[in-house]
Amino acid sequence: MSPSERRQELLELLCLRRHDTYGNLAQEFNVSKRTICRDVAVLMCSYPVETVCGRFGGGVRVMDGYYYHHKSHARRSLNQTQTALLRSLRDQLAGEDRDTINSILVQFAP
């Protein structure tokens, strides 16, 4: 497995588990903890992956709300009626609520 393939699988695994330790990931991928640390550092440049300090509960995690959409998975999208409704509601909102609707539209609107 190449480093880029391992990082891809690591990201997919973290998106499923949400959190894991470096030791567990190293054992699962049959590499050193240092290799996992380097992989996580690379992933952190492009994805919302972060490290968590602590002896118990420390490790690496994917930020809440992020889910990886692999190219082979069918991407869900909103139909025109749903998109129009969200845009109409967005215009009536402000602040964090408006930002939330915008993030939905960016991800799922055609």
Side-chain angles (χ1 to χ4, degrees):
M1 174 182 305
S2 73
S4 62
E5 291 170 331
R6 184 181 58 246
R7 289 178 192 128
Q8 185 71 37
E9 285 192 31
L10 176 60
L11 179 62
E12 291 176 21
L13 186 66
L14 286 171
C15 285
L16 289 173
R17 294 184 184 164
R18 310 308 296 165
H19 178 272
D20 213 334
T21 65
Y22 286 100
N24 190 45
L25 292 167
Q27 185 176 15
E28 187 155 340
F29 286 95
N30 199 29
V31 295
S32 69
K33 285 183 188 179
R34 184 68 193 130
T35 298
I36 294 296
C37 287
R38 284 191 297 266
D39 287 348
V40 167
V42 170
L43 290 174
M44 288 172 67
C45 293
S46 302
Y47 299 96
V49 174
E50 60 187 6
T51 59
V52 180
C53 295
R55 184 173 179 192
F56 304 103
V60 60
R61 72 181 187 126
V62 176
M63 293 176 134
D64 292 339
Y66 178 77
Y67 295 91
Y68 179 74
H69 299 286
H70 192 276
K71 292 176 187 172
S72 66
H73 296 149
R75 184 173 179 169
R76 296 180 188 167
S77 63
L78 300 171
N79 63 35
Q80 289 180 342
T81 304
Q82 293 167 329
T83 302
L85 175 62
L86 285 175
R87 286 186 175 138
S88 173
L89 291 172
R90 176 191 61 189
D91 295 340
Q92 300 170 27
L93 300 172
E96 193 173 315
D97 292 336
R98 185 181 180 104
D99 293 341
T100 300
I101 296 252
N102 280 332
S103 71
I104 293 168
L105 287 169
V106 166
Q107 264 190 336
F108 299 104

